[in-house]
Coordinates of all heavy atoms in Angstrom, one line a residue:
T1 N -2.9 -0.1 17.8 CA -2.2 0.8 17.1 C -1.6 0.2 15.8 O -0.9 -0.9 15.8 CB -0.9 1.4 17.8 OG1 -1.4 1.9 19.1 CG2 -0.1 2.5 17.2
M2 N -2.1 0.8 14.6 CA -1.6 0.2 13.3 C -0.2 0.9 13.1 O -0.1 2.0 12.9 CB -2.6 0.6 12.2 CG -4.0 0.2 12.6 SD -4.6 -1.3 11.9 CE -4.1 -1.5 10.3
L3 N 0.9 0.0 13.1 CA 2.3 0.6 13.0 C 2.6 0.8 11.5 O 3.3 1.7 11.3 CB 3.2 -0.4 13.7 CG 3.0 -0.6 15.2 CD1 3.9 -1.7 15.7 CD2 3.2 0.8 16.0
G4 N 2.2 -0.2 10.7 CA 2.5 0.0 9.3 C 1.4 -0.7 8.4 O 0.7 -1.8 8.9
V5 N 1.0 -0.1 7.4 CA 0.0 -0.8 6.5 C 0.4 -0.8 5.0 O -0.4 -1.0 4.1 CB -1.4 0.0 6.7 CG1 -2.0 -0.1 8.0 CG2 -1.2 1.5 6.3
G6 N 1.7 -0.7 4.9 CA 2.2 -0.7 3.4 C 2.4 -2.1 2.9 O 2.4 -3.0 3.7
S7 N 2.8 -2.2 1.6 CA 3.1 -3.4 1.0 C 4.3 -3.9 1.5 O 5.1 -3.3 2.2 CB 3.0 -3.3 -0.6 OG 4.2 -2.5 -0.9
S8 N 4.8 -5.1 0.9 CA 6.1 -5.7 1.3 C 7.2 -4.8 0.9 O 8.3 -4.8 1.6 CB 6.2 -7.1 0.6 OG 6.2 -6.8 -0.8
A9 N 7.1 -3.9 -0.1 CA 8.1 -3.0 -0.5 C 8.1 -1.6 0.4 O 8.9 -0.8 0.2 CB 8.2 -2.8 -2.0
G10 N 7.0 -1.4 1.0 CA 6.7 -0.2 1.7 C 6.2 0.8 0.6 O 6.2 0.6 -0.6
T11 N 5.9 2.0 1.1 CA 5.5 3.0 0.1 C 5.9 4.3 0.6 O 5.7 4.7 1.8 CB 3.8 3.1 0.0 OG1 3.4 1.9 -0.2 CG2 3.4 4.1 -1.0
P12 N 6.7 5.1 -0.2 CA 7.0 4.8 -1.5 C 8.0 3.7 -1.7 O 8.7 3.4 -0.9 CB 7.6 6.2 -2.0 CG 8.2 6.7 -0.8 CD 7.4 6.3 0.2
V13 N 7.9 3.1 -3.0 CA 8.8 2.0 -3.4 C 10.1 2.7 -3.9 O 10.0 3.6 -4.6 CB 8.1 1.1 -4.4 CG1 9.2 0.1 -5.0 CG2 6.9 0.5 -3.9
V14 N 11.2 2.1 -3.4 CA 12.4 2.7 -3.9 C 12.6 2.7 -5.4 O 12.3 1.7 -6.1 CB 13.6 1.7 -3.3 CG1 14.9 2.2 -3.9 CG2 13.7 1.9 -1.8
G15 N 12.9 3.8 -6.0 CA 13.0 4.0 -7.4 C 11.8 4.2 -8.3 O 11.8 4.3 -9.4
C16 N 10.7 4.1 -7.6 CA 9.3 4.2 -8.4 C 9.0 5.7 -8.5 O 9.1 6.5 -7.7 CB 8.3 3.5 -7.7 SG 6.7 3.5 -8.4
C17 N 8.6 6.0 -9.7 CA 8.1 7.4 -10.0 C 6.5 7.6 -10.2 O 6.1 8.5 -10.8 CB 8.9 7.9 -11.3 SG 10.7 8.0 -10.8
C18 N 5.8 6.5 -9.7 CA 4.4 6.7 -10.1 C 3.8 7.8 -9.2 O 4.4 8.2 -8.3 CB 3.7 5.3 -9.7 SG 3.5 4.9 -8.0
A19 N 2.6 8.1 -9.4 CA 2.0 9.2 -8.7 C 1.8 9.0 -7.2 O 2.0 10.0 -6.3 CB 0.5 9.4 -9.2
T20 N 1.6 7.7 -6.7 CA 1.6 7.5 -5.4 C 3.0 7.6 -4.7 O 3.1 8.2 -3.7 CB 1.0 6.0 -5.1 OG1 -0.3 6.0 -5.6 CG2 1.0 5.7 -3.6
C21 N 3.9 7.0 -5.3 CA 5.3 7.0 -4.7 C 6.0 8.4 -4.7 O 6.7 8.7 -3.8 CB 6.2 6.1 -5.4 SG 5.8 4.3 -5.1
V22 N 5.6 9.4 -5.5 CA 6.1 10.7 -5.6 C 5.3 11.7 -4.9 O 5.4 12.9 -4.7 CB 6.4 11.1 -7.0 CG1 7.6 10.4 -7.6 CG2 5.3 11.3 -7.9
S23 N 4.1 11.2 -4.3 CA 3.1 12.1 -3.7 C 3.7 12.7 -2.4 O 4.5 12.0 -1.7 CB 1.8 11.2 -3.4 OG 1.0 11.9 -2.5
T24 N 3.2 13.9 -2.1 CA 3.6 14.5 -0.9 C 2.5 14.2 0.2 O 2.7 14.6 1.4 CB 3.8 16.0 -1.1 OG1 2.7 16.5 -1.5 CG2 4.9 16.2 -1.9
D25 N 1.4 13.5 -0.2 CA 0.4 13.2 0.8 C 0.9 12.2 1.7 O 1.5 11.2 1.4 CB -0.9 12.6 0.0 CG -1.9 12.5 0.9 OD1 -1.9 12.2 2.1 OD2 -3.2 12.3 0.3
L26 N 0.9 12.5 3.1 CA 1.5 11.7 4.2 C 0.7 10.3 4.1 O 1.3 9.3 4.5 CB 1.3 12.2 5.5 CG 2.1 13.4 5.7 CD1 1.9 14.0 7.2 CD2 3.7 13.1 5.6
R27 N -0.4 10.1 3.7 CA -1.1 8.8 3.5 C -0.3 7.9 2.5 O -0.6 6.7 2.6 CB -2.6 8.9 3.2 CG -3.4 9.7 4.2 CD -4.8 9.9 3.8 NE -4.8 11.0 2.8 CZ -5.8 11.5 2.2 NH1 -7.0 11.0 2.4 NH2 -5.6 12.4 1.1
N28 N 0.5 8.4 1.8 CA 1.3 7.6 0.8 C 2.7 7.4 1.3 O 3.6 6.9 0.5 CB 1.3 8.2 -0.5 CG -0.1 8.3 -1.2 OD1 -0.8 7.3 -1.1 ND2 -0.4 9.4 -1.9
K29 N 2.9 7.5 2.6 CA 4.2 7.2 3.3 C 3.8 6.0 4.2 O 3.5 6.3 5.4 CB 4.8 8.4 3.9 CG 4.8 9.7 3.3 CD 5.8 9.5 2.1 CE 5.8 11.0 1.4 NZ 6.0 10.8 0.0
R30 N 3.9 4.8 3.8 CA 3.4 3.6 4.6 C 4.6 2.7 4.8 O 5.2 2.2 3.9 CB 2.3 3.0 3.8 CG 1.1 3.9 3.8 CD -0.2 3.3 3.3 NE 0.0 2.6 1.9 CZ -0.2 3.3 0.8 NH1 -0.5 4.6 0.9 NH2 -0.1 2.7 -0.4
S31 N 4.8 2.3 6.1 CA 5.8 1.3 6.3 C 5.2 -0.1 6.3 O 4.0 -0.3 6.2 CB 6.4 1.6 7.8 OG 5.4 1.6 8.8
R32 N 5.9 -1.2 6.5 CA 5.5 -2.6 6.4 C 4.6 -2.9 7.5 O 4.6 -2.3 8.5 CB 6.7 -3.4 6.3 CG 7.2 -3.7 5.0 CD 7.8 -2.5 4.2 NE 9.0 -2.0 4.7 CZ 10.3 -2.5 4.2 NH1 10.4 -3.2 3.2 NH2 11.4 -1.9 4.7
C33 N 3.6 -3.8 7.2 CA 2.6 -4.2 8.1 C 3.1 -4.7 9.5 O 3.8 -5.7 9.6 CB 1.7 -5.3 7.4 SG 0.7 -4.7 6.1
S34 N 2.4 -4.2 10.4 CA 2.6 -4.5 11.8 C 1.6 -3.9 12.7 O 1.1 -2.6 12.3 CB 4.0 -4.3 12.3 OG 4.2 -4.6 13.6
S35 N 1.2 -4.2 13.8 CA 0.3 -3.7 14.6 C 0.6 -4.0 16.1 O 1.3 -4.9 16.4 CB -1.2 -4.2 14.5 OG -1.7 -3.5 13.2
L36 N 0.2 -3.0 17.0 CA 0.5 -3.3 18.4 C -0.9 -3.1 19.0 O -1.7 -2.3 18.9 CB 1.5 -2.1 18.9 CG 1.7 -2.2 20.4 CD1 2.8 -3.3 20.6 CD2 2.2 -0.8 20.8
I37 N -1.0 -4.2 20.0 CA -2.2 -4.3 20.8 C -1.8 -4.0 22.2 O -1.0 -4.7 22.8 CB -3.0 -5.7 20.7 CG1 -3.4 -5.9 19.2 CG2 -4.1 -5.8 21.7 CD1 -3.9 -7.3 18.9
T38 N -2.3 -3.0 22.9 CA -2.1 -2.8 24.2 C -3.4 -3.1 25.1 O -4.4 -2.6 24.8 CB -1.8 -1.2 24.4 OG1 -0.8 -0.8 23.6 CG2 -1.5 -0.9 25.8
L39 N -3.2 -4.1 26.0 CA -4.2 -4.6 26.8 C -4.6 -3.6 27.9 O -3.7 -2.8 28.2 CB -4.0 -5.9 27.4 CG -3.5 -7.0 26.3 CD1 -3.1 -8.3 26.9 CD2 -4.7 -7.3 25.4

């Protein structure tokens, strides 16, 4: 399970007004990197 795939600042970046950060596309709402492996 990919828990987060965003950059160190996450996406959107606080205070950023670029097209990605203001996008309503859920793929542009990314938390910081982490994954879970369930055996």
